[in-house]
């Protein structure tokens, strides 16, 4: 078998000593290190090993390229030196490489391989072989449920939820529906709808496989309130609204549905939806710190003499705190010319599918650097590569979109490579090199010392950010026991909050979980919901003060519009129609009103207004 010493990490290497498993190389060298003379004959293409323990071996068939171009590894010299020490005299065996004017540091080469691949062992090599022989093709699908950007609708059989599903499907937006009762959902939504069965009040039913490919959510789950005296089979009393019957809780309690259920749903979906501030992969940010295991991966692997390291400077950041520093000395000697730091493979691949790229907070030096992201744990693997320029002496944020990454293998673009898969990031690499790719050179390359402080690396969501979690709540959630409020003029749910097991209190607590999660959100608080058609003029408000009615169909359309509106992001608002309760609203089916541009309403909304402002000194007891 052939072992690749030359790797996609290495720049413009002309010497092709190749091995397919680095562990084999380390094991072989360490076994022979103290008792072997190694030499290479370029005329015969044989790499010869001589040992007093073993007969002369000819490993010529291991060399994939019969010509090793100067200056890389033309001769490996074995020396034995006598070294005097206070405890006596001992012999030291040295293997080095003579390559042009500068010697090659074989020890640093082995140290590099050891850092990234661990101690050599026959077991590891055997497991590698088994894995390679049994692995499936990378072209095979690993996600049976698909990976397109799907909108999940939770509570898809409710009055608002089923209408949200209908609006999404009419717009051609991929939708998946989370339901408790599959049979009921099939009858209501159709046999071809994408359904998953789970209950947000039971965390164990929210299986991760259900949410693959989900990028946005509309949550229309709500505790069930019904007439004490019962209802007709088609829920006619419920459809009229709570104003027209004496209500009671049916089924699970408000605490279980509105608070515990919300907590479970956010936990199940947080990685899919992403955080507005991004996901920290490395660095220092406030009290947060995430370390990665970085190791130097320099041109020593191809015979060069450049050398780098990654250190933590406790006072080097822009605010005087700690920062990482990528530094070293780069040289073109021995056909080299690059230094880099690479992480060990992550213990678990990072799923960055909720994000649009990587952002580096760093202090530039006027040079151009490269970032290499790998989705394979193999040592010699395709790298998705992007370059960026820096400004000398200036702290700056560099954003590298995933869409800009090029598939590079051994400094060449791979035109038929699979697209970058952000769900499976295995390692990161930061490089300073005189080479770009496809024969191009880095115009900012200068030999000598360099230093690049890097305080953080994070995955980011590009602007403009739109809501990833749209929640259908309720007007009135902050009003129970609000000081100075005339309850006789409030809706039944406000007056009966205690009798209804603190329904509005737990709805508010559920909202708070969304606002505190960091997920980009929009919280829609409708006033009393009706079965009337959409189309009436609307009143939007904030601060939780208005009363009135609004169509379920209108709310469904509004939720879908909010998913695509940056104006709605991180806003909480109430909404009602201008039509009073005493007047029914109808439309002419032959001449329906045009659909609204909800951005006209969203753009006037403000962040941070929830109605809780009046409760700061008068918290609601539970």
């Amino acid at each position: 078998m052939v072992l690749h010493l030359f790797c996609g990490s290495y720049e413009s290497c002309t010497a092709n000593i190749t091995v397919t498993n680095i562990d084999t190389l380390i094991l072989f060298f360490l076994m022979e290190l103290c008792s072997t003379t190694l030499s290479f004959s370029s005329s015969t293409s044989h790499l010869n090993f001589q040992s007093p323990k073993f007969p002369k071996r000819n490993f010529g068939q291991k060399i994939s390229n019969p010509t090793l171009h100067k200056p890389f590894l033309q001769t490996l010299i074995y020396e034995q030196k006598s070294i005097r020490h206070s405890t006596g005299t001992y012999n030291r065996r040295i293997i080095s490489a003579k390559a042009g004017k500068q010697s090659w540091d074989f020890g640093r080469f082995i140290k590099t391989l050891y850092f990234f691949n661990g101690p050599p062992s026959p077991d590891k090599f055997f497991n590698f072989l088994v894995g390679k022989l049994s692995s499936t093709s990378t072209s095979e699908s690993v996600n049976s449920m698909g990976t397109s950007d799907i909108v999940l609708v939770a509570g898809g059989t409710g009055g608002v939820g089923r209408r949200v599903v209908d609006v999404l499907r009419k717009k051609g937006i991929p939708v998946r529906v989370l339901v408790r009762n599959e049979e009921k959902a099939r009858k209501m939504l159709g046999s071809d709808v994408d359904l998953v069965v789970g209950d947000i009040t039971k965390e164990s039913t929210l299986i991760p496989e259900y949410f693959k490919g989900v990028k946005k959510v509309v949550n229309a789950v709500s505790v069930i309130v019904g007439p004490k005296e019962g209802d007709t089979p088609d829920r006619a009393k419920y459809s009229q609204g709570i104003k027209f019957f004496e209500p009671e809780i049916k089924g699970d309690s408000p605490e279980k549905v509105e608070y515990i259920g919300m907590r479970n749903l956010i936990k199940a979906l947080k990685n899919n939806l992403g955080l507005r501030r991004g996901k920290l992969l490395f660095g220092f940010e406030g009290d947060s710190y995430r370390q990665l295991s970085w190791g130097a991966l320099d041109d020593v692997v191809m015979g060069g003499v450049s050398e780098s390291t990654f250190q933590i400077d406790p006072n080097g950041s822009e605010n005087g705190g700690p920062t990482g520093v990528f530094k070293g000395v780069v040289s073109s000697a021995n056909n080299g010319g690059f230094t880099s730091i690479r992480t060990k493979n992550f213990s678990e691949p990072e799923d960055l599918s909720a994000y649009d790229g990587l952002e580096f907070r760093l202090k530039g030096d006027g040079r151009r650097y490269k970032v290499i992201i790998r989705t394979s744990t193999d040592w010699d693997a395709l790298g998705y590569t992007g370059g960026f320029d820096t400004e000398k002496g200036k702290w700056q944020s560099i954003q590298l979109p995933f869409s800009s990454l090029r598939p590079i293998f051994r400094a060449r673009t791979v035109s038929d490579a699979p697209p970058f898969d952000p769900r499976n990031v295995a390692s990161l690499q930061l490089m300073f090199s005189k080479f770009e790719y496809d024969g191009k050179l880095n115009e900012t390359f200068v030999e000598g010392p360099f230093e690049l402080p890097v305080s953080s690396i994070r995955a980011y969501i590009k602007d403009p950010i739109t809501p990833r979690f749209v929640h259908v709540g309720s007007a009135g959630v902050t009003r129970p026991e609000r000081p100075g409020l005339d309850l006789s003029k409030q809706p039944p749910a406000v007056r009966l909050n205690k009798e209804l097991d603190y329904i509005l209190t737990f709805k508010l607590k559920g909202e708070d979980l969304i606002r505190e999660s960091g997920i980009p959100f929009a919280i829609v608080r409708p006033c009393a919901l009706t079965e009337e058609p959409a189309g009436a003029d609307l009143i939007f408000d904030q601060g939780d003060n208005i009363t009135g009615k609004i169509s379920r169909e209108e709310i469904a359309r509004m939720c879908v519009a909010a998913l695509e509106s940056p104006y709605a992001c991180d806003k909480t608002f109430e909404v009602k129609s201008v039509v009073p309760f005493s007047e029914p609203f109808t439309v002419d089916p032959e001449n329906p009103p045009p659909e609204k541009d909800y951005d006209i309403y969203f753009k006037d909304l403000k962040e941070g207004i929830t109605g809780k402002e009046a409760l700061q000194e008068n918290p609601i007891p539970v």
Side-chain angles (χ1 to χ4, degrees):
M1 108 186 291
V2 181
L3 203 76
H4 292 282
L5 174 59
F6 178 79
C7 156
S9 306
Y10 316 144
E11 300 285 279
S12 188
C13 181
T14 57
N16 295 333
I17 291 185
T18 59
V19 287
T20 55
N21 181 267
I22 295 300
D23 195 53
T24 302
L25 182 67
I26 301 175
L27 180 64
F28 185 76
F29 274 127
L30 293 184
M31 283 170 35
E32 299 289 324
L33 187 58
C34 295
S35 58
T36 306
T37 299
L38 301 89
S39 64
F40 176 76
S41 172
S42 59
S43 61
T44 59
S45 304
H46 288 174
L47 185 61
N48 298 318
F49 295 79
Q50 296 179 359
S51 168
K53 294 181 182 180
F54 303 102
K56 182 175 181 179
R57 305 175 187 179
N58 187 324
F59 287 89
Q61 70 275 15
K62 298 290 183 180
I63 303 300
S64 66
N65 188 337
T67 303
L68 292 185
H69 305 285
K70 291 182 179 181
F72 177 58
L73 205 60
Q74 289 194 354
T75 309
L76 285 171
I77 305 297
Y78 174 89
E79 299 179 70
Q80 178 171 303
K81 294 183 179 180
S82 295
I83 299 177
R84 293 186 178 182
H85 191 269
S86 59
T87 58
T89 302
Y90 63 92
N91 292 327
R92 179 182 178 187
R93 295 174 171 84
I94 302 172
I95 296 179
S96 64
K98 295 298 182 182
K101 295 183 179 180
Q102 297 196 32
S103 62
W104 178 57
D105 191 338
F106 179 77
R108 190 156 60 92
F109 167 72
I110 290 295
K111 182 179 178 181
T112 298
L113 301 184
Y114 186 93
F115 177 84
F116 289 103
N117 295 275
S121 72
D123 287 343
K124 288 174 66 177
F125 179 49
F126 176 77
N127 291 335
F128 167 83
L129 287 177
V130 171
K132 285 297 182 184
L133 293 174
S134 62
S135 63
T136 58
S137 169
T138 56
S139 63
E140 294 180 8
S141 173
V142 295
N143 179 13
S144 60
M145 300 189 73
T147 58
S148 58
D149 291 354
I150 297 169
V151 177
L152 179 79
V153 179
T157 59
V160 173
R162 67 174 181 265
R163 290 174 169 88
V164 171
V165 173
D166 186 54
V167 173
L168 288 167
R169 297 182 77 185
K170 286 179 178 178
K171 290 180 175 290
I173 299 172
V175 58
R176 184 172 299 152
V177 188
L178 176 66
V179 299
R180 292 187 297 172
N181 187 320
E182 182 176 5
E183 182 179 0
K184 174 185 175 182
R186 293 287 179 201
K187 291 179 179 178
M188 181 181 295
L189 303 174
S191 59
D192 60 337
V193 70
D194 182 3
L195 292 182
V196 288
V197 180
D199 185 339
I200 67 170
T201 68
K202 299 177 176 63
E203 184 179 358
S204 62
T205 68
L206 303 180
I207 302 170
E209 177 73 15
Y210 287 174
F211 308 118
K212 284 189 175 181
V214 170
K215 294 295 178 288
K216 297 189 176 185
V217 177
V218 177
N219 179 43
V221 175
S222 178
V223 67
I224 299 175
V225 179
K228 281 186 177 181
E229 65 273 19
D231 205 344
T232 63
D234 59 354
R235 302 186 72 190
K237 292 182 181 179
Y238 167 80
S239 297
Q240 291 177 348
I242 192 174
K243 185 180 181 73
F244 301 99
F245 58 82
E246 186 178 0
E248 69 175 1
I249 300 297
K250 306 284 187 178
D252 292 324
S253 69
E255 180 180 16
K256 197 168 185 180
V257 176
E258 306 288 351
Y259 179 65
I260 296 174
M262 181 68 76
R263 184 179 63 194
N264 293 340
L265 188 61
I266 291 172
K267 182 179 179 180
L269 288 164
K270 198 167 187 176
N271 285 339
N272 295 68
L273 306 183
L275 304 178
R276 179 162 190 159
R277 68 178 183 275
K279 183 176 183 178
L280 187 67
L281 300 178
F282 163 78
F284 306 84
E285 189 174 72
D287 296 331
S288 300
Y289 170 61
R290 183 173 179 186
Q291 177 65 288
L292 291 175
S293 183
W294 297 95
L297 188 53
D298 304 319
D299 57 18
V300 68
V301 296
M302 50 174 277
V305 298
S306 302
E307 188 169 3
S308 70
T309 185
F310 188 77
Q311 301 173 347
I312 301 298
D313 182 344
N315 306 111
S317 75
E318 55 193 312
N319 57 11
T323 185
V325 181
F326 171 36
K327 62 189 298 185
V329 178
V330 65
S331 169
S332 296
N334 300 5
N335 282 354
F338 78 88
T339 62
S340 77
I341 50 171
R342 176 173 166 177
T343 65
K344 288 184 177 180
N345 289 332
F346 303 141
S347 56
E348 293 290 338
E350 288 282 357
D351 182 354
L352 304 181
S353 59
Y355 302 94
D356 297 298
L358 294 184
E359 181 176 279
F360 297 78
R361 186 65 183 171
L362 52 81
K363 185 178 182 181
D365 60 0
R367 294 176 169 137
R368 181 173 177 81
Y369 291 82
K370 289 194 290 189
V371 175
I372 303 170
I373 308 176
R374 288 182 175 79
T375 57
S376 169
T377 57
D378 290 346
W379 167 260
D380 189 12
L382 181 78
Y384 294 87
T385 305
F388 61 88
D389 297 302
T390 67
E391 296 183 47
K392 188 173 183 178
K394 179 180 178 181
W395 280 97
Q396 56 190 130
S397 294
I398 301 291
Q399 290 191 341
L400 189 68
F402 292 145
S403 60
S404 70
L405 299 177
R406 299 175 66 99
I408 303 294
F409 185 67
R410 301 180 182 174
R412 298 289 177 185
T413 300
V414 181
S415 58
D416 60 347
F420 174 68
D421 182 3
R423 297 171 302 157
N424 196 43
V425 173
S427 66
L428 302 177
Q429 186 173 357
L430 185 60
M431 177 179 286
F432 177 51
S433 172
K434 77 174 185 180
F435 311 103
E436 285 287 305
Y437 45 80
D438 299 334
K440 298 177 182 178
L441 296 178
N442 179 0
E443 295 181 357
T444 71
F445 178 79
V446 179
E447 293 191 58
F450 71 93
E451 183 171 307
L452 185 74
V454 181
S455 64
S456 67
I457 304 173
R458 65 171 57 254
Y460 72 90
I461 299 175
K462 67 181 180 182
D463 291 325
I465 299 176
T466 58
R468 302 289 180 92
F469 194 117
V470 174
H471 172 62
V472 182
S474 173
V477 292
T478 68
R479 298 179 208 176
E481 300 192 32
R482 180 188 291 183
L485 193 68
D486 185 353
L487 292 180
S488 66
K489 297 180 180 180
Q490 293 299 313
V494 177
R495 299 196 306 270
L496 299 174
N497 182 56
K498 183 176 180 180
E499 290 78 3
L500 293 174
D501 298 338
Y502 295 99
I503 181 174
L504 295 181
T505 302
F506 284 110
K507 281 182 177 288
L508 180 61
K509 289 170 70 69
E511 285 186 7
D512 288 339
L513 291 176
I514 300 171
R515 285 186 283 263
E516 294 164 3
S517 70
I519 299 169
F521 70 88
I523 296 176
V524 183
R525 293 172 170 172
C527 292
L529 291 164
T530 74
E531 292 294 297
E532 294 174 338
D537 290 336
L538 302 177
I539 295 174
F540 278 62
D541 197 26
Q542 292 182 278
D544 195 18
N545 296 301
I546 61 174
T547 60
K549 67 176 182 177
I550 189 168
S551 157
R552 291 183 174 91
E553 177 67 27
E554 192 81 66
I555 293 298
R557 295 181 184 181
M558 193 180 303
C559 288
V560 174
L563 289 171
E564 302 299 329
S565 176
Y567 297 118
C569 194
D570 293 349
K571 310 292 175 54
T572 301
F573 60 91
E574 299 79 48
V575 60
K576 69 173 184 175
S577 78
V578 298
V579 181
F581 262 114
S582 58
E583 299 178 15
F585 176 74
T586 61
V587 298
D588 180 359
E590 301 298 324
N591 188 28
E595 287 198 23
K596 295 180 178 66
D597 178 2
Y598 293 98
D599 274 351
I600 294 174
Y601 302 96
F602 294 153
K603 69 181 182 180
D604 292 328
L605 299 174
K606 304 291 191 297
E607 290 187 26
I609 301 177
T610 66
K612 293 177 63 177
E613 300 78 20
L615 305 177
Q616 297 304 313
E617 298 181 4
N618 297 275
I620 301 172
V622 178

